Amino acid sequence: MNLTNCLKMISNLFRAILRPFPLIGGLADCSRKDHASAIKDFFLTITFSTLTFWVTVVIMSVLALYSTATTSDMILKTVSNGELLTFSVSFAGPILLAAMQDRNGKSPFPGAIWHVYALWAFAIIAAVIFGLLKLQVVANLNIGLNMDRVRNWSYFVFGLALVLRYTAIVYQKMLGAADALMPKQDKEFSDEWAAHAKKKGQES
């Protein structure tokens, strides 16, 4: 067995293992071209979406109040009051539309229902934590929140939002490529059938 066949077998095995997993199983059917295009779109999206955070950090960096603060300290300060929670929900919101889109008989969005469940779950988590946080900060109620855990949950929700948004983008790339290929395949089949019928007619 040569190296190419060995790598192909490993790739097929990995795809077979990955395919049953919720949310990420559809990645098994995405091509390298799908990922390359999705990565570009993802980074453009995340860069634009987090622009307010970076602008805030730049403004803080020129203020005397934060003259001794590090960049990481300023970033944490920017997202320490629940901003990361609200950002994550809004960032992942478009996934709901993509997952629930009527494909009119075409290949469905991979793991659509799991994406919907995940979105609802972390949206509820984010809403509860953000609500408690605002009650403590804005209403000045002594709820006794563990801020370290609040930040950890914020990071978890943010990470999940990134994963879901990336999978949604790459799935849309895959579905778009499949949709574009279908008319070509239909035409090839039609041409082959016409040629076959013509040949049969000539033979008879």
Side-chain angles (χ1 to χ4, degrees):
M1 181 183 296
N2 58 37
L3 180 60
T4 302
N5 290 336
C6 183
L7 291 175
K8 188 174 181 179
M9 285 183 61
I10 294 173
S11 176
N12 290 337
L13 178 61
F14 176 75
R15 290 172 186 270
I17 294 172
L18 180 64
R19 194 169 282 115
F21 282 87
L23 299 176
I24 62 172
L27 295 176
D29 299 311
C30 296
S31 67
R32 283 180 292 182
K33 185 177 179 180
D34 295 331
H35 282 288
S37 181
I39 288 171
K40 181 179 69 174
D41 288 359
F42 176 78
F43 277 106
L44 287 174
T45 302
I46 191 67
T47 300
F48 181 78
S49 299
T50 57
L51 194 59
T52 53
F53 293 153
W54 302 120
V55 170
T56 302
V57 170
V58 170
I59 293 173
M60 291 171 67
S61 68
V62 298
L63 297 177
L65 181 63
Y66 298 99
S67 59
T68 59
T70 64
T71 302
S72 60
D73 289 336
M74 289 185 285
I75 292 174
L76 290 176
K77 185 71 174 177
T78 303
V79 299
S80 62
N81 291 318
E83 293 85 356
L84 203 57
L85 293 168
T86 55
F87 167 79
S88 299
V89 174
S90 61
F91 184 70
I95 301 170
L96 191 62
L97 296 177
M100 300 303 293
Q101 183 182 15
D102 184 4
R103 296 276 299 156
N104 296 320
K106 298 177 182 178
S107 299
F109 187 92
I113 193 64
W114 285 105
H115 279 78
V116 173
Y117 289 156
L119 282 170
W120 274 107
F122 90 74
I124 291 171
I125 292 172
V128 170
I129 296 175
F130 185 75
L132 292 173
L133 189 60
K134 288 307 173 184
L135 283 175
Q136 179 166 288
V137 175
V138 178
N140 200 27
L141 296 178
N142 187 18
I143 299 176
L145 289 177
N146 185 324
M147 294 308 296
D148 287 336
R149 291 189 178 180
V150 167
R151 280 190 288 270
N152 289 338
W153 274 107
S154 298
Y155 300 149
F156 169 76
V157 170
F158 177 65
L160 182 58
L162 294 182
V163 171
L164 292 177
R165 187 64 184 269
Y166 176 76
T167 57
I169 293 174
V170 74
Y171 289 164
Q172 287 179 307
K173 296 293 182 182
M174 177 191 68
L175 294 174
D179 292 347
L181 187 62
M182 283 180 64
K184 182 180 178 181
Q185 291 177 331
D186 290 343
K187 186 177 184 305
E188 289 177 351
F189 177 79
S190 178
D191 291 344
E192 289 177 2
W193 178 259
H196 176 73
K198 183 178 180 180
K199 183 178 179 181
K200 283 290 186 181
Q202 290 174 348
E203 290 177 352
S204 60

